[in-house]
Amino acid sequence: MAQTLYFMRHGETDWNAEARLQGQQDIALNEVGRKQAAEAGRRLAEILPAPDGLPWLVSPLGRTRETAELARKAIGLPPQRYATDDRLKELTFGDWEGRTWAELRSVDRNMVKARTADKWAYVPPRGESYAMLHDRIALWLKTVTQDMVIVSHGGVARVLMVLLAGKPNSEAAEEPIWQGKLLVFRNKTAEWV
């Protein structure tokens, strides 16, 4: 794939601030997250002369849609002019969603240890692993035929680092994924701007 993807992670939510696992729960942006979304839009306009010339593809969760709309509004684009794709949803943490790591350690320290030992392949109860998300995103990538702006989630960014930039799974699983910045995938690299 020779296309360039301009990746934007959704802005902060209260659950992000509390270190709660969101997964596919539909948690709204908080005030910090709204500012981060606008900032990401402005960053995009700085590096991409015509951001309205590319399609915008967004996870259907509320926090990503709001991020896309605020980013577009910040640079003078019609807020709702984007498409959604279910394949860009965050991985699901299943039974762990809504809990913090401290809460999970108090419930079942062994499961948390198992995930820490192999963060990429571990599947939470009724959840998804990064490896499973990798398969979903790899199928989606086969449909990408042009440069585009993507608004999605941290797990999706990690998987794209593996698929598009060749980062080892274990490194991608630990990589910080910033809110309010852009991650540009181009020529087998991933660069934060």
Side-chain angles (χ1 to χ4, degrees):
M1 180 183 119
Q3 288 74 35
T4 299
L5 298 183
Y6 299 89
F7 181 93
M8 198 179 293
R9 181 184 177 196
H10 65 80
E12 183 183 87
T13 69
D14 286 343
W15 279 22
N16 287 136
E18 296 166 5
R20 290 195 182 281
L21 298 173
Q22 291 180 115
Q24 294 184 2
Q25 297 299 305
D26 215 353
I27 310 303
L29 298 182
N30 61 23
E31 196 53 40
V32 170
R34 289 182 192 96
K35 290 176 184 170
Q36 290 169 330
E39 175 60 24
R42 288 188 288 273
R43 284 177 188 260
L44 179 66
E46 288 172 5
I47 65 167
L48 188 63
D52 56 336
L54 295 182
W56 287 52
L57 195 58
V58 179
S59 159
L61 296 179
R63 62 189 180 267
T64 45
R65 289 193 330 266
E66 186 178 6
T67 297
E69 291 167 14
L70 291 168
R72 290 178 63 82
K73 184 177 179 183
I75 56 177
L77 300 179
Q80 280 87 23
R81 196 172 294 162
Y82 59 85
T84 61
D85 192 314
D86 279 349
R87 294 171 293 183
L88 294 177
K89 280 184 182 177
E90 180 64 288
L91 60 81
T92 177
F93 284 99
D95 294 345
W96 290 5
E97 290 185 2
R99 295 186 173 189
T100 65
W101 288 112
E103 291 168 352
L104 288 170
R105 279 190 291 277
S106 72
V107 172
D108 193 333
R109 184 174 299 276
N110 290 332
M111 282 196 303
V112 174
K113 277 185 171 179
R115 183 178 187 270
T116 301
D118 189 359
K119 197 171 180 181
W120 193 262
Y122 185 81
V123 181
R126 297 193 310 184
E128 227 179 345
S129 66
Y130 285 117
M132 294 162 76
L133 178 62
H134 177 281
D135 293 345
R136 176 169 28 113
I137 297 302
L139 287 173
W140 166 74
L141 272 176
K142 289 180 181 180
T143 70
V144 175
T145 59
Q146 65 186 100
D147 295 357
M148 64 176 57
V149 177
I150 305 298
V151 185
S152 190
H153 306 272
V156 174
R158 294 174 197 285
V159 166
L160 288 172
M161 287 176 170
V162 171
L163 289 167
L164 297 178
K167 191 169 281 279
N169 297 348
S170 58
E171 286 182 31
E174 300 297 333
E175 191 76 27
I177 308 297
W178 306 104
Q179 293 163 312
K181 294 185 180 182
L182 294 172
L183 180 56
V184 180
F185 294 97
R186 175 188 297 133
N187 300 324
K188 298 183 181 179
T189 66
E191 179 184 4
W192 287 102
V193 292

